[in-house]
Amino acid sequence: MNSILPSGWRNARYLLATALCVLMTLGTLPLRELLDVANIVMLFLLTVFVAAVWLGRGPSVLAAFLSVALFDFFFVPPHLSFAVTDAQYVVTFAVMLAVGLITSHLGARLSEQTEQAQARERDTRVLYELAKDLGGALSVGQVAEVTKRFLGGVDLDVTVLAADVFDGETTFQEYGRHLTELERNFARSANERQAIVETDSLAGTGVAIVFLPLRAPTHVRGVLAVAPRTDDAESVRSHRPLLEAVASLVALTIERLHYAEAVRHGELEVAAERLRTSILSSLSHDLRTPLTSLVGLADTLVQEQPPLPERVIETAGIIRDQAHSMHHLLSNLLEMARLQAGNIMLNREWQPFEEIVGSSTRLLSIPLAKRKLEIDLPRDLPLVYFDAVLLERVVCNLLENAAKYSRDGARIQLIARVSENGFDVAVCNDGRGFPEDRVDQVFELFVRGEREPAVAGTGMGLAICKAIIAAHGGTITAENRPGGACVRFTLPLGTPPVMEEEAPS
């Protein structure tokens, strides 16, 4: 504490200690014949104690030595001389000096502890006020304004650098005074090392000399750059504990804002997804009935007896086919809405996968007619626990996509195997494959494997497959292979029931 006080004040404290001793001597001197020597000694020790409490350790030590000297000079015979006629007074001087020094030490220590406690109380109070102001901040800019206003009270300028990590590279958004490139380098060093960087070499040049990382519980959220408004770098060092506490509060506030923003975005996405699902469900449900009627009317025109003119029959067939396509699209929309709403109820049974393959290929006989379909199913495939209707939808969608994105005569493979991970199924085709930059996105709703809509589709087939496989507790992935693409899904294998053989009749 003494080291940061002005030198003039330190000299004044020693002068005050000397004045106290002199005043005590002048006040006691008229009572020299009335008071016992022991009482005079106690008065001088009281002076030392007062100096220790009010002025500190150094002045109280000076007061202790002055008290012994003044007591000897004015109150011990012969008076006005440092000579001692009675050797016993030497013991009195020694005890008086020892008690004075101990008293000065204890009194000064008590005073210092009192000042420290008061300083901690003040720091706690101001930090509480700062925390309350930061708690009301709604953006990093407001956090920087509150921090700048708070540290401005101790003649410090501050710049808050909020860290933003993108593709492994950290960039800073500055709030406050614009930093130089040298200062930014120091800030990057503090952020990367997660340690305080301090440089006195820049003191007095009007730039930041202390850089404190904003360490939050999960991440380092940026850096607090502090610059003194004067040329005294020691003022920054003296406020080091306060600056560390401020940096901690700022880091916690920025992290709170980060997670609050993440929660807000999450709530918006959930609300948007719920609205989209509701709209899809309503539209697809309301449009299926008129489309069914349209298909029936078109079939009636085609089969009308006596036959209608050929041009009318051809037009009716086109209407029927387009209505079938629209009906298929709406069925996908309704199915996707049902899956995303989480209302799907699985009707799972232990069944052979071969039956799903057979029914799927029969349903897609027309799209697969111009492709070379290769089915590779081992004879010893076990029973699998699945919902037959939903898994048939998955296999149909995968085969339909494989045919849609391959040329006439291309090979399509359907392969099933038992592995350590479960029951694996792969559907592959010969073609251009998925765009390399979109392989991870093809299972998202309304995402197409092709950028250009050269092939008809809505981008819901793979999204429906993913939802169904996930409901079964499995996984599905897409990948490119030399000369084509593959979509693979895995279902949990489990332990099928033991089939009991019938007893011979």
Side-chain angles (χ1 to χ4, degrees), residues 116-186:
Q116 290 173 0
Q118 292 174 346
R120 285 195 295 268
E121 181 184 359
R122 288 193 301 270
D123 289 345
T124 302
R125 186 165 56 251
V126 297
L127 288 174
Y128 170 75
E129 295 296 330
L130 174 63
K132 186 168 65 173
D133 292 340
L134 290 176
L138 301 177
S139 65
V140 180
Q142 293 182 3
V143 171
E145 286 297 325
V146 171
T147 308
K148 184 178 180 180
R149 185 169 60 250
F150 175 78
L151 292 180
V154 289
D155 288 333
L156 296 176
D157 278 330
V158 63
T159 300
V160 176
L161 295 95
D164 184 19
V165 180
F166 183 76
D167 288 342
E169 184 177 351
T170 301
T171 57
F172 293 109
Q173 182 69 34
E174 298 179 14
Y175 298 89
R177 185 178 59 84
H178 184 69
L179 300 184
T180 64
E181 188 60 34
L182 178 61
E183 291 173 296
R184 291 195 194 94
N185 291 334
F186 283 123

Side-chain angles (χ1 to χ4, degrees), residues 27 39 138 251 283 302 318 331:
N39 292 329
L138 301 177
L283 286 177
V302 172
I318 294 174
S331 297

Side-chain angles (χ1 to χ4, degrees), residues 219-299:
H219 299 286
V220 177
R221 295 295 175 181
V223 177
L224 195 69
V226 181
R229 292 180 178 177
T230 64
D231 295 342
D232 186 11
E234 192 66 30
S235 63
V236 179
R237 188 175 291 108
S238 65
H239 292 100
R240 176 77 171 266
L242 177 63
L243 293 177
E244 293 181 7
V246 171
S248 178
L249 289 175
V250 172
L252 291 174
T253 304
I254 293 178
E255 180 153 285
R256 173 182 63 80
L257 293 175
H258 171 77
Y259 285 118
E261 185 69 14
V263 170
R264 190 178 68 85
H265 278 298
E267 291 176 349
L268 289 176
E269 289 178 0
V270 169
E273 187 65 29
R274 188 180 295 117
L275 177 62
R276 183 172 64 179
T277 300
S278 176
I279 293 174
L280 292 179
S281 178
S282 299
L283 286 177
S284 58
H285 184 273
D286 293 341
L287 292 176
R288 290 178 78 184
T289 300
L291 279 175
T292 303
S293 300
L294 187 61
V295 171
L297 292 174
D299 279 334

Side-chain angles (χ1 to χ4, degrees), residues 3 228 356 489:
S3 60
I356 299 298
F489 67 86

Side-chain angles (χ1 to χ4, degrees), residues 407-470:
R407 63 186 184 280
D408 290 350
R411 182 182 57 168
I412 296 176
Q413 294 177 298
L414 193 156
I415 305 170
R417 293 288 185 271
V418 175
S419 68
E420 297 179 357
N421 299 323
F423 184 75
D424 298 336
V425 178
V427 176
C428 307
N429 72 337
D430 293 338
R432 289 177 295 177
F434 299 106
E436 291 295 337
D437 59 340
R438 308 188 75 185
V439 174
D440 297 333
Q441 304 174 14
V442 294
F443 292 104
E444 297 178 9
L445 193 59
F446 304 123
V447 172
R448 302 284 304 279
E450 295 287 343
R451 292 189 180 276
E452 298 298 331
V455 180
T458 59
M460 287 189 296
L462 292 181
I464 291 175
C465 293
K466 181 179 180 180
I468 294 174
I469 296 299

Side-chain angles (χ1 to χ4, degrees), residues 286-338:
D286 293 341
L287 292 176
R288 290 178 78 184
T289 300
L291 279 175
T292 303
S293 300
L294 187 61
V295 171
L297 292 174
D299 279 334
T300 301
L301 291 176
V302 172
Q303 300 172 8
E304 182 72 22
Q305 296 296 330
L308 297 174
E310 183 177 349
R311 184 174 59 84
V312 175
I313 295 177
E314 182 181 356
T315 302
I318 294 174
I319 293 174
R320 180 192 58 194
D321 294 340
Q322 293 299 319
H324 271 301
S325 299
M326 184 65 72
H327 189 276
H328 179 66
L329 170 61
L330 292 176
S331 297
N332 281 341
L333 285 172
L334 186 60
E335 186 70 25
M336 196 67 238
R338 190 166 64 93

